[in-house]
Amino acid sequence: MKRTIYLLLSLAFTISLMAQPAKKYVLVIHGGAGTILQSSMTPEREALYKQGLQNALNAGNAVLKNGGAALDAVEAAIKILEDDSLFNAGKGAVFTNAGKNELDASIMDGKTLKAGAVAGVTNIKNPITAARAVMDKSEHVMMAGKGAEEFAAANGCTVVDPSYFFTASRWSGLLAARREDSLKALHKDSTHTLLRQPGNYDYKYGTVGAVALDIYGNLAAATSTGGMTNKRFGRIGDSPVIGAGTYADNNTCAISCTGWGEFFIRLVMAKTISDRMEFAHQSLKDAADEMIMKKLPALGGDGGLIGIDKEGNIVMSFDTDGMYRGYVKSDGETGVEIYK
Ligand code: ASP
C-alpha cells in the first residue's frame, strides 16, 4: 500500500513538472545596418552573411538552451561574429584614417546593471571578452587604449599582432573612402555625408550586437565594432558607450545599436529607449521606432538597433536599406534577414 502511494505521488510530481511550461529564452543579433541593397549583393555573398549570422545564433542558442546566462549567450554570439571577417568587429574591422584597426566593445548585465567596455584596442582578438573582463574583474566600467590592452592581456584575453585584423576588402574600403574624402574636400562639403553614401555598404558597416533574455528572466546586451571606415584615429563611437550603443536593465529592455555612432551618442539611444519604457510606459517597439525612425533622422543620422523586453518581445528597427539581423526563441521560432 505504502509503495503504491509512493509511486502515485512520484507519478503526480513528474506529471506536474512536465505540465509546467518551460521558461522561455530569446536571442537577437545584428551584424550592422546600412546601405545594404539586394541589387548590389550576389547570392553567394548573401549566403555567406546568412551563414555567419546563423553560426552566431547557434552559439548563443546553445548557451541559453542549456540553462546558461543571457550574459554568456551574448558574449558567445559576439565572439563568433568577431571571428568572421565579413563583419566589422574583431577580424574584419574597418581601418582608421591612419590605416590601423581600433576596436570598441561593451557588454551589460540587466540583472545587476554592471557593465564593461573597451575602446580603441588594437591587439585583443575578441574585444568583447576584454569588455567582459573589465566588468567582471575590475572596479571600472570603461578602459581605453594601452591600459585596456594591458588589462585584457593580464586577464586571459587572447592577444594578437595588430596585423591579424588586416583584410584586403577593408583596406580597399579605406582607399575608396580616402578617394571620396579628397573629392569631397575639393568641393568643400562635409566629409561625413560620404560615409553613408549608397554603394558603400561593403566597407562602412557591419558592427555586431546581441541581446538576450535567459530562462531566469535576466536580460543582457553586447556590442562590438571596428567603428567607421576612415574615422580619425582615436575616435570612439557609440558601441562601447554604455547607454548609447548598449544598455540592459531587467526592468525594461536590452538594446544593441548600429549606425552612425556620433548621433547615437548624442541621443543616448539605448538608455533613452529604456527610459521611455520606464517613465513614459511606451512599449519596446514604440520607443525604438520613435527613436530610430524619427529622432535619429531628424538630427541627420541613420542606423538601427535590436532589442528585447523583459517579456521576450523583440524589436529590430532600422531606417537604412538593410540591417544584418537574426533571432531565435525557445519555442523554435527563428529567422535571419538582411533587407527591409
Ligand atoms: N556604430 C558604429 C560606430 O559608430 C558603427 C556602425 O555601427 O556601423 O562606431
Side-chain angles (χ1 to χ4, degrees):
M1 182 64 180
K2 251 188 177 168
R3 201 180 142 80
T4 321
I5 290 175
Y6 174 77
L7 274 176
L8 280 174
L9 278 178
S10 52
L11 189 68
F13 181 67
T14 313
I15 288 171
S16 79
L17 272 187
M18 281 166 61
Q20 260 182 19
K23 277 271 208 160
K24 71 174 162 196
Y25 67 79
V26 185
L27 171 70
V28 189
I29 59 169
H30 72 73
T35 312
I36 310 162
L37 295 168
Q38 197 155 16
S39 51
S40 38
M41 181 84 89
T42 63
E44 293 76 24
R45 208 168 160 75
E46 188 177 310
L48 284 175
Y49 273 106
K50 287 191 165 171
Q51 190 57 54
L53 291 167
Q54 191 59 55
N55 294 342
L57 283 177
N58 293 348
N61 188 48
V63 173
L64 294 168
K65 192 170 69 189
N66 293 318
L71 210 48
D72 294 327
V74 294
E75 186 183 350
I78 297 270
K79 269 174 90 171
I80 298 283
L81 295 167
E82 284 179 339
D83 290 345
D84 188 330
S85 64
L86 282 177
F87 300 96
N88 171 20
K91 177 90 185 168
V94 298
F95 286 94
T96 67
N97 64 346
K100 302 260 168 64
N101 306 101
E102 294 179 357
L103 314 171
D104 304 333
S106 66
I107 190 163
M108 186 160 183
D109 178 5
K111 183 184 174 191
T112 58
L113 300 191
K114 282 175 123 192
V118 292
V121 295
T122 61
N123 67 356
I124 304 302
K125 179 168 178 273
N126 292 105
I128 199 64
T129 58
R132 179 81 190 258
V134 171
M135 181 177 95
D136 288 347
K137 297 173 183 168
S138 85
E139 58 197 0
H140 306 305
V141 168
M142 192 177 202
M143 297 183 74
K146 286 262 175 296
E149 290 170 357
E150 218 175 280
F151 175 81
N155 283 281
C157 298
T158 306
V159 173
V160 290
D161 188 87
S163 63
Y164 163 80
F165 297 107
F166 179 92
T167 56
S169 68
R170 297 300 185 194
W171 186 253
S172 54
L174 174 65
L175 301 184
R178 280 178 180 164
R179 272 197 303 276
E180 283 174 15
D181 279 1
S182 43
L183 267 181
K184 211 49 177 176
L186 272 179
H187 295 94
K188 296 206 169 36
D189 287 334
S190 155
T191 54
H192 287 126
T193 51
L194 286 166
L195 291 169
R196 295 273 154 179
Q197 236 180 176
N200 289 351
Y201 78 93
D202 208 12
Y203 57 87
K204 299 295 186 193
Y205 307 105
T207 290
V208 307
V211 292
L213 170 73
D214 63 28
I215 60 169
Y216 315 103
N218 293 321
L219 290 167
T223 311
S224 181
T225 190
M228 288 170 77
T229 300
N230 205 22
K231 66 184 180 183
R232 281 191 77 99
F233 77 92
R235 176 263 189 190
I236 309 286
D238 61 313
S239 306
V241 179
I242 295 300
T246 306
Y247 199 72
D249 179 346
N250 273 8
N251 291 314
T252 53
C253 60
I255 302 283
S256 169
C257 300
T258 170
W260 195 342
E262 280 69 12
F263 293 92
F264 283 74
I265 296 175
R266 288 165 59 194
L267 287 167
V268 197
M269 181 63 80
K271 174 71 159 84
T272 299
I273 290 167
S274 170
D275 283 351
R276 280 171 171 265
M277 293 175 70
E278 184 170 353
F279 303 120
H281 309 292
Q282 279 192 310
S283 69
L284 171 65
K285 182 159 179 8
D286 287 351
D289 283 349
E290 206 167 314
M291 290 303 292
I292 292 293
M293 306 300 185
K294 291 190 190 148
K295 299 281 184 192
L296 181 62
L299 281 190
D302 65 358
L305 60 80
I306 52 169
I308 304 184
D309 69 15
K310 59 182 177 183
E311 321 292 345
N313 298 307
I314 69 175
V315 71
M316 301 184 278
S317 188
F318 53 99
D319 77 335
T320 47
D321 292 307
M323 179 166 79
Y324 300 106
R325 61 198 188 277
Y327 67 95
V328 60
K329 299 181 179 182
S330 45
D331 65 8
E333 193 189 327
T334 186
V336 169
E337 308 259 3
I338 299 178
Y339 315 105
K340 238 181 208 152

